[in-house]
Amino acid sequence: MAERMVGKQAPRFEMEAVFANKEFGKVSLEENMKNDKWTVLFFYPMDFTFVCPTEITALSDRYDEFEDLDAEVIGVSTDTIHTHLAWIKTDRKDNGLGDLKYPLAADTNHTVSRDYGVLIEEEGIALRGLFIINPEGELQYSVVNHNNIGRDVDETLRVLQALQTGGLCPANWKPGQATL
């Protein structure tokens, strides 16, 4: 049986990544915590696919809204940083990503995907998992869905804002509305 992760300390990670400036470096949960940032960590199956670029670019197009909420977005797949860079350098009209505003990390040894419970072992790829981690390193939100279904950026932002209220948010709560 799977172990509960929400409400506990999130698995720590450090991965090689391609940053918005197209340079290689490392991303880590510890760095975001040190900078008092929320972390929006999302996993996707693989580069050069069809649903993935719609999500990755949609999040990038709305990155400023995450930044305004003191959140760092990190995309992760089991592909290499070199494959990530090639995909970023491919224009959007050619099924590429074009410029991104946040890093894409490479979980080539599958450790982070496994730690977050999204690795499809027999395929060596991740499910579409999305995790929101507070600045203290506690996993606050987790959603995992089938690889055929893309995620909703509005819902991710709504949940992040709800978590940041510190209050009780009723069903269909929207930013600006009262909490319970």
Side-chain angles (χ1 to χ4, degrees):
M1 176 152 302
E3 184 180 326
R4 172 181 69 87
M5 292 176 54
V6 173
K8 295 183 177 182
Q9 285 293 299
R12 299 304 192 258
F13 61 82
E14 180 178 270
M15 292 176 279
E16 295 290 327
V18 180
F19 287 87
N21 62 5
K22 297 182 181 64
E23 292 183 8
F24 297 137
K26 292 186 184 230
V27 292
S28 74
L29 181 56
E30 293 290 338
E31 186 69 20
N32 288 352
M33 292 169 59
K34 185 177 84 176
N35 292 324
D36 201 34
K37 298 285 187 179
W38 288 75
T39 301
V40 177
L41 179 70
F42 76 95
F43 294 84
Y44 64 94
M46 65 182 96
D47 295 350
F48 293 100
T49 56
F50 300 101
V51 176
C52 297
T54 66
E55 293 185 304
I56 294 167
T57 58
L59 282 160
S60 183
D61 292 346
R62 307 274 302 274
Y63 179 76
D64 294 346
E65 294 173 65
F66 288 97
E67 197 172 44
D68 290 344
L69 296 168
D70 291 323
E72 294 292 335
V73 176
I74 302 171
V76 183
S77 84
T78 56
D79 292 306
T80 69
I81 53 174
H82 302 287
T83 305
H84 289 341
L85 182 59
W87 201 21
I88 290 167
K89 286 183 172 182
T90 303
D91 193 271
R92 287 186 182 188
K93 67 178 174 37
D94 297 321
N95 200 37
L97 300 176
D99 291 335
L100 292 182
K101 294 183 179 176
Y102 60 85
L104 290 184
D107 183 27
T108 54
N109 64 9
H110 306 168
T111 302
V112 182
S113 301
R114 190 175 289 116
D115 287 349
Y116 279 82
V118 298
L119 183 66
I120 303 171
E121 292 278 352
E122 59 276 11
E123 295 180 40
I125 62 171
L127 289 165
R128 291 188 198 286
L130 184 131
F131 302 87
I132 299 178
I133 305 162
N134 72 14
E136 291 76 42
E138 183 181 315
L139 183 61
Q140 298 279 296
Y141 178 79
S142 167
V143 62
V144 180
N145 55 278
H146 194 282
N147 282 337
N148 291 345
I149 304 164
R151 290 162 278 208
D152 186 300
V153 178
D154 287 330
E155 177 62 4
T156 303
L157 284 163
R158 185 192 77 83
V159 169
L160 177 60
Q161 290 171 304
L163 291 168
Q164 290 180 347
T165 69
L168 301 173
C169 297
N172 302 317
W173 178 88
K174 300 282 188 244
Q177 293 179 339
T179 56
L180 301 176

